[in-house]
Amino acid sequence: MSAGAPVLTGLLVLLAALALAGCGAANPAEGTVRADVLVEPAPGEGVWHRGVELTGGASAYDLLAAAVGEGLEAEWYAEYKAHFITAIGAVAPEGNAFWAVFTWNAGTQRWEPLPVGADAHVVSDGEVMGWAVVTYDPETPQLPQTRP
């Protein structure tokens, strides 16, 4: 056995202990989180819903539903386990336009498209999210114009 083997073994034991300690952390579904959500039906016409309180483990769809209440219309697609937003506050996109969901990146000070569907994204405490009507254009991605 080399002189470095006990150090490597100790390091592996420490990493395993840290990983197991993380498994005992509080369940993200417990407690509450607060988040802000922007609804922007047209560029620069954003309406903020600040400090929306949710149960921990809630999705981005749950955040939108809590923020706008009965002003939300959506269709559930069981095969995708996802909602498709058809209208927010009586604004139903026309033509190729649709409601898209974004998250605010505080580091870059920019909106970013959510990389997963709204039902799959678990909202973090203090997160800033946005919904905007966009038209699909891979050459020029559209982002909300209203900033936090």
Side-chain angles (χ1 to χ4, degrees):
M1 185 179 271
S2 72
V7 172
L8 180 59
T9 301
L11 181 59
L12 290 174
V13 169
L14 176 63
L15 289 174
L18 289 173
L20 287 174
C23 292
N27 182 344
E30 295 175 2
T32 58
V33 297
R34 289 184 187 269
D36 296 340
V37 63
L38 167 72
V39 176
E40 189 178 89
E45 295 180 12
V47 175
W48 282 102
H49 301 270
R50 304 262 188 203
V52 179
E53 190 171 304
L54 301 163
T55 301
S59 71
Y61 175 81
D62 297 329
L63 173 62
L64 178 63
V68 301
E70 293 184 20
L72 176 61
E73 295 177 32
E75 293 180 28
W76 171 252
Y77 289 88
E79 63 271 28
Y80 302 113
K81 296 180 183 165
H83 286 90
F84 179 76
I85 307 303
T86 55
I88 301 174
V91 176
E94 298 177 2
N96 334 354
F98 61 96
W99 282 103
V101 60
F102 302 86
T103 188
W104 180 255
N105 182 326
T108 62
Q109 296 290 296
R110 292 183 43 117
W111 288 107
E112 297 176 350
L114 198 60
V116 297
D119 290 284
H121 178 79
V122 176
V123 177
S124 300
D125 191 47
E127 189 164 6
V128 178
M129 302 199 74
W131 288 83
V133 173
V134 300
T135 303
Y136 178 72
D137 181 357
E139 299 297 316
T140 310
Q142 297 171 0
L143 303 170
Q145 298 300 305
T146 307
R147 296 171 57 90

